Amino acid sequence: MATTGMQLLGLVLSIIGWVGGFLVCTLPMWRVTAFIGNNIVTAQITWEGLWMNCIWQSTGEIQCKVYDSLLALPSDMKAARGLTVLALLICTLALTLGILGIKCTECVGLPSLKARLARVSGVLFVIAGFLILVPVCWTAHSIIRDFYDPYVAAPHKRELGPALYLGWGGSALLLIGGSLLYAGSNPPGIPSSPTFSSGESSPRRAGGPAQVKGYV
């Protein structure tokens, strides 16, 4: 039978991971200006995200601008856009199925159907976690590669932004939450370990002594 506590914990962790994935998709802090050299005082800091870039002035003023052309973006940023948006859509579908299939709700009357909906929801949350993890790791790899590349000029070098760390945390919550939701949603009548019926073995045990008595 389904474990309600494990289902609720998995659903809550998945919802938190979904919120984190939404912030990762919208925040413009995937890449930030790298402080290289002895002079650590800069007049402005550059933030680069999936949809816009922002410049933070030393006076506290922030100016953001949406990217003019999609074709001018690098390949990793294009892929990150598509994968993160797809992950959020999958999370929305998974959340709907999870609410319908969790044990403490009465939206669906059949226990077996509820368990299957919850398991599908867990699988979708895990898939969404991988879809967020891939562009975050890809972007982090390109940032680190360019940072240590001697042919890249210092003004063009970037560091890992806060959105990447938030992406790692959100994807981890989606993976863990989806796994817990799947593990706690066994359909009724399907045991977690193989069992043996006593009805088939009892006639054999009863027939053993009878055969011995017949020969005696």
Side-chain angles (χ1 to χ4, degrees), residues 70-186:
L70 176 63
L71 299 178
L73 297 177
S75 57
D76 59 339
M77 191 171 295
K78 295 178 184 176
R81 277 188 176 188
L83 291 177
T84 52
V85 171
L86 179 60
L88 294 179
L89 295 177
I90 292 177
C91 283
T92 304
L93 176 60
L95 179 60
T96 304
L97 296 179
I99 294 175
L100 294 176
I102 199 168
K103 188 179 179 182
C104 60
T105 60
E106 300 297 335
C107 300
V108 179
L110 297 176
S112 59
L113 180 59
K114 287 169 64 70
R116 289 183 175 87
L117 290 177
R119 300 192 90 175
V120 172
S121 174
V123 172
L124 292 178
F125 276 126
V126 171
I127 294 175
F130 276 111
L131 291 178
I132 294 177
L133 184 63
V134 168
V136 169
C137 293
W138 189 358
T139 303
H141 171 72
S142 63
I143 292 174
I144 296 173
R145 180 197 58 200
D146 294 340
F147 186 85
Y148 291 105
D149 190 352
Y151 297 102
V152 177
H156 298 287
K157 294 181 183 293
R158 295 292 183 263
E159 290 184 352
L160 304 179
L164 298 181
Y165 297 99
L166 185 60
W168 281 315
S171 62
L173 290 177
L174 286 173
L175 294 175
I176 297 173
S179 300
L180 291 177
L181 186 58
Y182 182 88
S185 304
N186 289 326

Side-chain angles (χ1 to χ4, degrees), residues 30-48:
W30 283 56
R31 306 167 186 258
V32 298
T33 303
F35 297 99
I36 303 174
N38 298 326
N39 186 15
I40 62 174
V41 179
T42 57
Q44 61 185 19
I45 298 176
T46 302
W47 298 338
E48 297 177 2

